[in-house]
Amino acid sequence: MAGVTDRPFRMLCKRMGAGYAVSEMVAANPKLWGTDKSRRRTDHAGEVAPIAVQIAGADPAMMADAARYNVDRGAQIIDINMGCPAKKVCNAAAGSALLADEALVARIVDAVVHAVTVPVTLKIRTGPAPHSRNAITIARIAQDAGIAALAVHGRTRACLFVGPVEFDTVRAVKRAVRIPVFANGDIVTPRQARDVLAYTGVDALMIGRAAQGRPWIFREIAHYLETGRALAPPSVAEARSVILEHLDDHYTFYGEELGVRIARKHLHWYSASLPGALALRAQRRAVDGFFARLALESERLPRADEALRNDRPAATRAARPPAFELEALAA
Ligand SMILES: Cc1cc2nc3c(=O)[nH]c(=O)nc-3n(C[C@H](O)[C@H](O)[C@H](O)COP(=O)(O)O)c2cc1C
């Protein structure tokens, strides 16, 4: 998932029980490979196998080159993106837009499968639009080309992320081919995971947004599937250490400045469902607004002597021994 499944998050998900985690998509266009973003997306240092890299593009020869390039950089599985609904992926009509051109799909999967010796997988939606669902045709094209596994997000491109997931179509795809099929879309709880597996008969489940802020969902699902019993959610102490470890890894990966900026969304996801998170965010917004208004009036904070004149109580507080502050906080 672009902007989400960076290396630190993939490693965390794997530690939490995910059997497989695919990289953010890498553009097939070699002009984009030199950017910092692409370099980070092809950095797999320390990553636990299998290292799977998703490539996106529309030109078969470029996609083949991109597959080779990523295998040379450690990819053990290449995944082709035909699932992204964005109008343009990396400046080309790629992603799920390709589903409307079955001949081009065949040329792309064929070129990539022949370019590398590692398994090549494919991620699709159920078709371009509800009146033109062609997932079964695409699945057969993929199988004939030697695609090793197929992940199906059970919505058409036109449906974006709206409306029910078509597990009927996913089931029909599974029945139509012999290669492993993964079901994807709106799976959030261990019970849903069990039901989708049972209904569709697929070989694996792919979890996206439900892992955001809840990476332990993978072990919860695995435990439920194995035992039929719900695993207790992590203790607050464990969640705290998981989140702090994730942040440390994240800051090391991105560097301080970018790391802090990119970590915000993870912190939002981690805290979104917790009591107090709303108050916390309202407080943050208030502080943000306060300083934005202040910046209109002055460029710098007051000097110590000016602060003393402006705010007697604050100055008095500062004069108190630090232990007093600690006691007040503890009270
Ligand atoms: C922020 C975001 C980024 C995504 N990026 C990609 C991507 O790069 N490649 C891809 O195949 N799917 C991408 N997806 C789609 C997801 O892989 C998944 O198919 C979709 O979110 C439905 O699954 P879910 O309901 O479990 O999230 C993205 C989804 C989101 C929300």
Side-chain angles (χ1 to χ4, degrees):
M1 289 166 73
V4 184
T5 57
D6 52 23
R7 194 188 73 197
F9 192 61
R10 291 198 299 279
M11 286 168 72
L12 172 59
C13 291
K14 285 178 178 173
R15 271 205 311 282
M16 289 286 155
Y20 180 58
V22 186
S23 78
E24 299 174 89
M25 62 183 160
V26 176
N29 185 345
K31 284 188 197 141
L32 301 172
W33 292 346
T35 63
D36 284 347
K37 199 187 235 183
S38 286
R39 264 198 295 273
R40 273 194 302 272
R41 288 183 180 191
T42 51
D43 174 356
H44 307 290
E47 191 168 350
V48 173
I51 296 171
V53 173
Q54 185 178 73
I55 56 174
D59 180 83
M62 268 192 191
M63 289 287 273
D65 285 344
R68 277 189 287 265
Y69 175 85
N70 281 286
V71 170
D72 289 346
R73 274 153 192 77
Q76 296 164 324
I77 294 174
I78 293 290
D79 184 49
I80 301 175
N81 180 342
M82 293 194 192
C84 185
K87 271 218 171 70
K88 287 199 165 182
V89 182
C90 315
N91 296 326
S96 59
L98 295 168
L99 298 175
D101 187 343
E102 291 168 6
L104 180 57
V105 168
R107 285 171 49 222
I108 290 174
V109 291
D110 195 57
V112 176
V113 167
H114 282 99
V116 290
T117 51
V118 302
V120 178
T121 58
L122 176 66
K123 164 87 184 304
I124 62 168
R125 285 181 168 240
T126 54
H131 60 272
S132 55
R133 286 196 184 94
N134 61 350
I136 290 179
T137 308
I138 298 284
R140 290 194 174 124
I141 290 172
Q143 174 173 271
D144 292 347
I147 286 289
L150 180 72
V152 187
H153 176 191
R155 290 189 176 94
T156 68
R157 174 174 193 246
C159 294
L160 301 170
F161 288 86
V162 183
V165 177
E166 308 156 34
F167 288 117
D168 286 330
T169 312
V170 178
R171 181 160 83 155
V173 169
K174 169 63 197 163
R175 289 179 174 184
V177 290
R178 296 176 307 279
I179 56 175
V181 174
F182 306 171
N184 169 240
D186 289 8
I187 301 165
V188 174
T189 68
R191 264 170 194 258
Q192 285 171 342
R194 179 202 57 191
D195 293 348
V196 170
L197 270 179
Y199 183 71
T200 60
V202 291
D203 306 274
L205 301 172
M206 188 170 270
I207 312 286
R209 290 163 296 169
Q212 294 173 170
R214 289 188 60 83
W216 37 84
I217 186 166
F218 298 106
R219 73 179 185 198
E220 291 178 351
I221 290 178
H223 182 87
Y224 189 72
L225 294 178
E226 266 166 39
T227 67
R229 286 192 303 277
L231 183 70
S235 66
V236 172
E238 191 198 357
R240 178 174 177 236
S241 78
V242 166
I243 293 167
L244 290 177
E245 263 176 53
H246 179 192
L247 284 180
D248 287 343
D249 199 15
H250 180 97
Y251 298 144
T252 308
F253 185 66
Y254 285 105
E256 204 171 292
E257 200 180 318
L258 195 58
V260 167
R261 199 143 32 95
I262 295 179
R264 275 188 212 145
K265 60 188 158 203
H266 288 285
L267 293 175
H268 168 79
W269 291 327
Y270 278 125
S271 65
S273 64
L274 303 180
L278 277 180
L280 218 136
R281 278 205 297 283
Q283 186 177 55
R284 193 189 171 284
R285 267 201 305 277
V287 172
D288 193 27
F290 173 81
F291 278 94
R293 281 192 299 281
L294 188 66
L296 297 175
E297 291 165 21
S298 53
E299 200 183 326
R300 283 184 188 288
L301 292 184
R303 287 192 313 269
D305 57 331
E306 290 167 339
L308 195 67
R309 274 200 304 278
N310 290 349
D311 182 11
R312 275 252 145 244
T316 322
R317 267 204 309 279
R320 285 176 181 149
F324 178 89
E325 292 255 288
L326 287 179
E327 278 163 28
L329 281 175

